[in-house]
Amino acid sequence: MKITLGTVQFGINYGIANTHGVPADEELKSILATAKEHDINYLDTAHAYGNAEERLGLFSENRFNIITKFPAVKTNDELQNVLSLSLDKLNCSAVYGYLAHNADTLIENPFLWETLLKAKEEKKINKIGFSLYSPEQLERLIALNCIPDIVQLPYSILDRKFANKFQVLKGFGTEIHVRSVFLQGLYFMDPEGLPEKLSDLKPALLELHNICKENNVTVSDVALNYAVANPFIDQVVIGVDTTAQLKENIRAVSDWRLENDLFSRIETIAIKNKTLLNPVNW
């Protein structure tokens, strides 16, 4: 299945609509077992996700391809140290992917790319890359000849700022992993109950909800399948707090049958203040 299980919720309380908190050990084991049972083979984590790496080291049992991310280090020694720490926590000798948690770390310290290449040669990492927040970051890193094996970037039904970069990335043979397809749960929220600072998104959110209602589909199903259906996207990263949430997302992908006309209509929704599509501005 074209789904990667995000794990930030396993280490810290996360998400504007999260009411469950961090899952307990038994629930976490159930989530991982359900993921594997349904051919979800990738886990996305990070040094910054509280104790998520340690918990995966205890419970993932080397059943998954793990992608983790390093913080804003400034020296080769720091990078090597945090990689070693992550490998220890994850209880493994190598990770599938190792990404800069923020691409600016590599833009400001491009020499770190050589350290990543060396770790890749040493087979501590299978694929290297970075997590992006803006198309400009990608352009700068390509100019620095930091050509990624994997990128992770935000992409969703209302936030498509990277769409015109997909073909460029595929030209490099890059895996495209997307996150924030639910925009941290914003798409599920009642448009009438949005916090004041998000009020500019109310008209777009109302229109999205109305379109989904007219087509007798949930916002969740549409948001997830919009990303899954994109042929350029290799993996869609989703986070869950419970096994039930994961099963619902699996059902949404497995049962999806609607035509792309629905997606085309959603793409016409106008956004008054696009800066609010970035959760850092919340």
Side-chain angles (χ1 to χ4, degrees):
M1 184 170 283
K2 195 172 164 177
I3 295 293
T4 290
L5 186 60
T7 68
V8 60
Q9 288 97 328
F10 299 169
I12 56 176
N13 286 317
Y14 180 82
I16 193 171
N18 177 6
T19 59
H20 295 96
V22 176
D25 288 353
E26 290 305 312
E27 184 66 19
L28 175 52
K29 287 189 277 187
S30 174
I31 290 169
L32 293 174
T34 300
K36 196 62 183 175
E37 179 185 345
H38 289 87
D39 200 30
I40 294 173
N41 296 312
Y42 293 82
L43 302 178
D44 174 82
T45 191
H47 178 86
Y49 292 170
N51 66 342
E53 287 183 325
E54 291 99 323
R55 299 187 80 199
L56 294 180
L58 286 172
F59 302 126
S60 66
E61 299 175 345
N62 295 315
R63 292 173 291 171
F64 299 89
N65 295 317
I66 295 180
I67 299 159
T68 191
K69 299 182 285 292
F70 61 88
V73 297
K74 295 183 179 180
T75 69
N76 290 324
D77 285 345
E78 284 183 287
L79 179 53
Q80 290 168 342
N81 289 338
V82 293
L83 172 58
S84 294
L85 186 59
S86 285
L87 293 175
D88 287 344
K89 289 178 179 179
L90 291 164
N91 194 27
C92 62
S93 59
V95 288
Y96 179 80
Y98 199 51
L99 315 181
H101 206 147
N102 188 327
D104 284 347
T105 299
L106 292 170
I107 292 170
E108 295 164 6
N109 308 283
F111 57 86
L112 294 173
W113 193 250
E114 293 300 321
T115 303
L116 293 174
L117 288 170
K118 182 180 178 183
K120 184 178 171 182
E121 290 175 4
E122 294 170 347
K123 301 191 182 304
K124 294 178 181 178
I125 306 166
N126 186 12
K127 300 193 175 189
I128 60 176
F130 34 80
S131 179
L132 294 160
Y133 293 86
S134 72
E136 292 75 22
Q137 288 178 312
L138 177 60
E139 292 164 6
R140 293 185 67 181
L141 283 164
I142 289 173
L144 290 166
N145 202 33
C146 296
I147 307 301
D149 300 316
I150 302 176
V151 295
Q152 188 189 111
L153 51 86
Y155 182 81
S156 66
I157 43 181
L158 299 183
D159 181 12
R160 304 183 298 274
K161 59 180 172 287
F162 280 98
N164 65 353
K165 301 297 183 185
F166 286 174
Q167 281 189 304
V168 174
L169 287 163
K170 284 302 168 189
F172 294 131
T174 302
E175 284 185 28
I176 299 174
H177 296 202
V178 301
R179 65 177 184 273
S180 298
V181 295
F182 301 131
L183 212 57
Q184 293 191 21
L186 176 71
Y187 292 148
F188 311 148
M189 296 182 71
D190 177 4
E192 300 293 347
L194 287 176
E196 179 62 30
K197 59 186 174 182
L198 298 179
S199 60
D200 282 353
L201 291 177
K202 178 180 174 180
L205 205 56
L206 276 170
E207 190 173 354
L208 171 63
H209 282 218
N210 288 336
I211 291 172
C212 291
K213 186 175 181 180
E214 290 168 14
N215 285 273
N216 197 32
V217 291
T218 67
V219 175
S220 175
D221 285 13
V222 170
L224 180 55
N225 283 287
Y226 182 76
V228 170
N230 189 305
F232 291 110
I233 292 172
D234 295 286
Q235 290 289 312
V236 177
V237 182
I238 61 167
V240 299
D241 310 316
T242 66
T243 305
Q245 286 179 354
L246 178 57
K247 287 181 176 178
E248 177 59 21
N249 286 317
I250 291 166
R251 179 213 57 78
V253 174
S254 300
D255 293 351
W256 185 257
R257 297 290 183 272
L258 290 185
E259 299 297 323
N260 286 335
D261 289 350
L262 172 63
F263 295 152
S264 297
R265 185 177 173 195
I266 288 171
E267 286 174 348
T268 67
I269 296 175
I271 308 295
K272 180 180 178 181
N273 184 355
K274 291 187 177 181
T275 64
L276 291 180
L277 296 175
N278 186 345
V280 302
N281 295 317
W282 298 354

